[in-house]
Amino acid sequence: MFTIASLWIPFTIIAALGQVARNAMQRSLTKPLGTWGATNIRFLFGFPFSLLFLGLVLLATGDHLSAPPTVFWPWLLLGALSQIVATGLMLLAMNDRSFVVTTAYLKTEAIQTAIFGFVFLGDHLTWLKVLAIVIATIGVVITALRPGGEKSFAELKPTITGLVAAAAFALSAVGFRGAIINVPAVSFVTAASITLVLGLFVQTLVLTIYLLWRAPKVLQAILGLWKPSMLAGFTGALASQFWFLAFALTAAANVRTLALVEVLFAQAVAYYSFKQPIARREILGIALIVIGVAVLVGA
């Protein structure tokens, strides 16, 4: 039977599903809008939906808004700005010839999140959970590789891109969790929702100012593609809402490790929708992911 503390598990699974959908929509917008234009979509069009979510939460909980304490803001800025950098690097990697290997490096995020969470927030992880994180991460790397792809590990560009992007995503997760747990006198749902609204506001402001300065025509193009952008923004805001709810309840490393189930979702779509066969290497990787996630949840 689920307790409030264990709700991070379904919250994370819902968020992972939403992220897979959002990434697909965002990827389709990269060509007409460029990397930073497509990155801004998730923030600019997600922000209004985050306000809607916060309004619904306040009605349901009866909580009252108040200015977050001073300690909240450095964590928020760390989360918001790191996510901008991470998202931009991720979209750049999608156009790189070594994308698969870069993706494998990206999945080291869970391990890096565990390290940053311990250093900056003092998040306690048992040895069993650390082992689960390592097992699941190895499974993802094995699944992501393709025959002959291991040769690309010697290339400097995908190595740096992947590891830096993963570190930025890890810092983002830790930053947002640090912000959420420093919102006082409200429910965890309200704390997560307030953090999401302010985080998206900062991200929208920073990227919009950057695009006005460097690429004003991209902003015009974004407005011209408002219909698909609105859907991507809603999906992204919904996924983020559930990420933040999960961060409010448990260590960021737990959340980001369980989030590796998105690899299973992608494999299922490839197999059932596109009839793509699953290689033995992928079966091994999937088995390790399942084992790692099972140990994490059961620990």
Side-chain angles (χ1 to χ4, degrees), residues 78-122:
L78 174 64
L81 299 180
S82 295
Q83 192 173 52
I84 290 176
V85 173
T87 303
L89 288 173
M90 181 188 71
L91 292 177
L92 283 172
M94 290 178 180
N95 298 320
D96 191 88
R97 65 187 179 88
S98 298
F99 168 67
V100 171
V101 174
T102 305
T103 301
Y105 280 119
L106 278 170
K107 295 309 178 182
T108 65
E109 177 198 349
I111 293 176
Q112 296 194 57
T113 301
I115 296 171
F116 292 142
F118 174 76
V119 172
F120 296 118
L121 292 176

Side-chain angles (χ1 to χ4, degrees), residues 176-214:
F176 283 134
R177 172 164 164 76
I180 291 167
I181 63 178
N182 278 293
V183 178
V186 294
S187 66
F188 78 90
V189 181
T190 301
S193 301
I194 291 172
T195 304
L196 176 60
V197 167
L198 294 176
L200 285 176
F201 174 76
V202 169
Q203 292 167 323
T204 299
L205 184 64
V206 169
L207 265 186
T208 300
I209 290 174
Y210 173 79
L211 290 174
L212 279 172
W213 173 46
R214 296 297 300 269

Side-chain angles (χ1 to χ4, degrees), residues 148-174:
E150 64 278 0
K151 297 177 181 178
S152 296
F153 276 94
E155 298 176 16
L156 186 61
K157 182 179 178 181
T159 300
I160 293 176
T161 302
L163 291 177
V164 172
F169 274 124
L171 285 172
S172 175
V174 170

Side-chain angles (χ1 to χ4, degrees), residues 66-76 178-185 194 198:
S66 60
T70 303
V71 70
F72 168 89
W73 295 102
W75 290 116
L76 181 79
I180 291 167
I181 63 178
N182 278 293
V183 178
I194 291 172
L198 294 176

